[in-house]
Amino acid sequence: MSELLNRRLSLLGQGDNLSLLKQCLHGIERECLRVTEEGRLAQTPHPEALGAALTHEQITTDYSESLLEFITPALADPAQTLQSLENIHRFAYTKLGSEYLWSPSMPCPLPAEEDIPIAWYGDSNIGQLKYVYRKGLALRYGRTMQCIAGIHYNFSLPEKLWPLLRDAEGSSADERDYQSAAYIALIRNFRRYSWLLMYLFGASPALDAGFLRGRAHQLEQFDAETLYLPYATSLRMSDLGYQSNAQAGLTPCYNDLNSYTDSLRKAVATPYAPYVEIGTHKDGEWVQLNTNILQIENEYYSNIRPKRVTYSGERPIQALMARGIQYVEVRCLDINPFLPTGIDLPEARFLDAFLLFCALDDSPLLGYLECGNCTGNFLSVVKEGRRPGLMLQRHGKPVALKEWADELLERIAPLAELLDRSQGSDEHTKALDLQKAKVSDPSLTPSAQVLASMTEHKEGFSRFALRQSQAHAEFFRAQALPADEQQRFETAARESLEAQAKLEREEDKADFDLFVSAYQASILAISN
């Protein structure tokens, strides 16, 4: 254990400090495709009974009209966060008719590119902006890639913890800068160790063969309709997933917040020649918001993001620069197709211990060589993480995945114990033990279990996924929400529809071109 981590554990284990750890906040966003009874992409509009995707706080759409996104509030107890997620699923199933929620991350058999519906948010300027942004994503990356779904885990440490650490360590930084620097340090350690999450929780070793649209690949044939890799953990997070030549040179520096925001600010203001050649309009219609490397900040795809809740009309970079980092969003988690909500409490408990370890342990700046090792280790694990004897790179030297994973879990154990002490339970230690078992026996990992289930039932990816989707639908439909909770969702849906209608009715009907120009100018005006 590092000296810094030892000191911090000792400090947080004292008296009133221990109770601070009960104030960590946890939020979950779960994406999932709507599919037909046959397991094909639903071509129906976003169900009006679920509310307006533009204005509903908990039920919206991601890229496609068929790609739902469920959002929980940030709560201190992850068990309550997961209950909130389950309640959203139960409500959704009362409005889906014969449709299902697709159980895994990789999509169902998809129609032709042009037949994948882009999410629609109405006629307001902001609604149109969201639609044009998605048209730009289709133009840049293709619609197929945008149908991949995942779990996003939002995590924050209590605000009172940071001044406690700062004062104990004699830092001269103000509270905002110290907190931001600490979250950036967490992100650096996450970059170092996130390969472990892909081994433990990756659940996408196979996909529908049509997903690749005839592209060259190095996958193996499982059956006529399924491609896979025998030792893969997460093809979703591999180079088969969300890729961009334009973003290839964009690796934001995680050495401080200013360098991170500056790299993104430049990317949303720097033209990219192939996009310039296309332009923003075709036949008089908008096809992308601008011709820059990124249309907006959120187009940058990363495994983890520093975040700050934004004010109305404020852009993410503006919020980070003005008020610093408030929480992190972990974006690399696959949906576990064996779990009705795609994630369970033991996974959340382990994530808390893992992220607390990343936050409190030593986190040296990332040099060029180590950055390359981080990327290489991650890609090795997502494509062959269960391969016996797999070697990773640590400090420029080879190390066995199993050896390093065992070491990391031992280093995380004191954090799990500290969280258990703060809550008077042993749940985090039990969650850690489950992960130790997966390192000892790769057949216990979700990725191995997916392939084992497909083999046992003699079925390809899509039939496996539909079977799981049907089982989850039965689970949610078997028990209705309490009447007051159902009514709360009904009210939220109705109010969101009213809010969108009010926005469209009362909005200053400014020219959309001017609206986009003002939106673009808001980022160009920022200077460090």
Side-chain angles (χ1 to χ4, degrees):
M1 183 186 298
S2 70
E3 183 182 341
L4 177 66
L5 180 58
N6 192 41
R7 286 201 313 269
R8 287 175 165 180
L9 286 176
S10 177
L11 178 65
L12 293 177
Q14 296 171 10
D16 292 341
N17 297 345
L18 189 61
S19 63
L20 276 178
L21 294 177
K22 290 193 290 188
Q23 300 170 34
C24 296
L25 294 179
H26 320 76
I28 296 173
E29 302 161 29
R30 189 252 166 115
E31 303 157 343
C32 47
L33 288 171
R34 288 185 294 112
V35 301
T36 66
E37 290 177 289
E38 295 76 33
R40 300 284 170 169
L41 188 72
Q43 298 281 1
T44 49
H46 180 67
E48 186 173 300
L50 292 179
L54 179 67
T55 50
H56 200 299
E57 291 186 354
Q58 291 195 279
I59 302 174
T60 183
T61 49
D62 191 80
Y63 169 77
S64 171
E65 190 76 351
S66 312
L67 184 56
L68 288 168
E69 183 174 359
F70 298 154
I71 305 168
T72 75
L75 302 171
D77 183 351
Q80 292 183 3
T81 303
L82 284 160
Q83 185 61 57
S84 172
L85 185 63
E86 182 176 316
N87 289 349
I88 299 171
H89 281 74
R90 287 195 191 282
F91 173 72
Y93 262 113
T94 67
K95 308 300 181 185
L96 287 180
S98 62
E99 293 177 354
Y100 293 111
L101 301 176
W102 192 242
S103 58
S105 282
M106 297 308 290
C108 62
L110 294 170
E113 276 272 319
E114 62 271 17
D115 293 329
I116 297 172
I118 296 175
W120 175 249
Y121 299 95
D123 295 320
S124 67
N125 280 330
I126 188 64
Q128 289 186 70
L129 185 135
K130 289 168 75 74
Y131 180 71
V132 172
Y133 166 61
R134 283 158 175 76
K135 288 178 72 174
L137 294 178
L139 182 148
R140 295 169 177 220
Y141 315 110
R143 299 187 186 194
T144 297
M145 293 298 164
Q146 307 298 320
C147 292
I148 298 172
I151 294 272
H152 297 171
Y153 193 78
N154 299 314
F155 177 82
S156 69
L157 288 148
E159 299 278 330
K160 291 180 180 178
L161 180 142
W162 303 116
L164 179 71
L165 294 179
R166 184 197 62 167
D167 294 346
E169 292 162 14
S171 171
S172 59
D174 66 28
E175 288 187 15
R176 188 199 74 174
D177 289 347
Y178 182 88
Q179 178 172 321
S180 291
Y183 274 119
I184 290 289
L186 182 163
I187 290 172
R188 283 198 300 272
N189 276 338
F190 186 91
R191 287 264 294 136
R192 290 181 171 101
Y193 307 131
S194 54
W195 59 264
L196 178 62
L197 298 182
M198 306 321 297
Y199 175 84
L200 297 173
F201 303 113
S204 54
L207 48 80
D208 179 72
F211 174 81
L212 293 179
R213 305 286 189 192
R215 285 187 294 150
H217 63 83
Q218 295 180 321
L219 303 183
E220 298 181 21
Q221 199 92 29
F222 185 89
D223 65 15
E225 298 174 344
T226 301
L227 298 173
Y228 83 117
L229 284 177
Y231 300 114
T233 62
S234 178
L235 294 179
R236 164 180 170 259
M237 295 305 300
S238 75
D239 50 10
L240 294 171
Y242 194 97
Q243 291 293 301
S244 162
N245 290 332
Q247 292 189 27
L250 176 62
T251 305
C253 176
Y254 292 113
N255 287 337
D256 59 70
L257 178 59
N258 283 343
S259 61
Y260 172 81
T261 55
D262 193 48
S263 64
L264 287 188
R265 183 178 61 83
K266 289 176 180 174
V268 295
T270 302
Y272 181 62
Y275 300 158
V276 173
E277 190 174 338
I278 295 167
T280 57
H281 288 71
K282 183 178 181 181
D283 300 328
E285 296 285 328
W286 281 89
V287 294
Q288 55 182 341
L289 289 175
N290 55 57
T291 58
N292 299 329
I293 295 171
L294 303 177
Q295 297 174 91
I296 63 174
E297 306 94 298
N298 285 351
E299 188 175 335
Y300 175 63
Y301 193 81
S302 57
N303 297 340
I304 185 170
R305 282 180 184 162
K307 299 291 287 279
R308 160 70 63 175
V309 173
T310 56
Y311 298 145
S312 178
E314 186 179 41
R315 295 183 64 148
I317 292 180
Q318 292 172 316
L320 285 172
M321 293 177 68
R323 299 185 301 285
I325 302 173
Q326 184 179 19
Y327 65 99
V328 292
E329 178 189 39
V330 175
R331 300 170 51 81
C332 59
L333 299 171
D334 282 353
I335 299 166
N336 186 328
F338 297 103
L339 302 173
T341 59
I343 182 173
D344 62 7
L345 193 53
E347 181 173 348
R349 299 282 192 208
F350 178 77
L351 287 170
D352 288 354
F354 177 85
L355 291 168
L356 189 60
F357 167 73
C358 289
L360 298 182
D361 198 22
D362 272 332
S363 182
L365 300 184
L366 287 168
Y368 180 79
L369 175 63
E370 190 177 12
C371 255
N373 285 345
C374 291
T375 301
N377 289 338
F378 190 90
L379 290 175
S380 291
V381 173
V382 298
K383 294 182 86 167
E384 51 179 4
R386 288 178 289 104
R387 180 182 294 280
L390 179 66
M391 304 298 285
L392 304 179
Q393 290 290 317
R394 179 171 60 181
H395 308 310
K397 297 178 181 178
V399 58
L401 177 147
K402 185 180 185 305
E403 176 187 340
W404 196 0
D406 283 335
E407 288 178 18
L408 275 175
L409 292 176
E410 286 303 318
R411 292 169 65 190
I412 294 168
L415 286 304
E417 292 164 8
L418 188 68
L419 286 167
D420 281 341
R421 281 179 55 205
S422 74
Q423 298 174 18
S425 77
D426 60 357
E427 295 295 316
H428 296 86
T429 301
K430 284 181 177 178
L432 185 75
D433 289 341
L434 289 174
Q435 312 320 315
K436 289 180 179 179
K438 292 179 190 174
V439 175
S440 297
D441 182 358
S443 71
L444 298 176
T445 59
S447 57
Q449 291 177 336
V450 167
L451 295 180
S453 182
M454 288 165 53
T455 300
E456 178 188 350
H457 290 87
K458 297 181 173 60
E459 62 192 0
F461 167 75
S462 294
R463 289 187 62 186
F464 158 78
L466 181 59
R467 179 166 56 83
Q468 293 301 126
S469 303
Q470 291 166 338
H472 298 335
E474 289 179 18
F475 169 80
F476 289 121
R477 287 171 169 153
Q479 182 179 346
L481 282 172
D484 59 338
E485 187 70 3
Q486 179 75 19
Q487 187 55 52
R488 186 184 71 79
F489 277 110
E490 300 279 4
T491 300
R494 184 183 69 253
E495 290 178 348
S496 71
L497 292 167
E498 292 169 354
Q500 178 173 326
K502 184 172 186 284
L503 176 64
E504 293 174 352
R505 186 172 61 249
E506 298 180 0
E507 179 181 62
D508 179 15
K509 297 300 180 184
D511 180 85
F512 181 64
D513 292 16
L514 293 176
F515 182 82
V516 175
S517 296
Y519 187 81
Q520 183 70 5
S522 69
I523 201 68
L524 298 177
I526 298 174
S527 60
N528 282 335

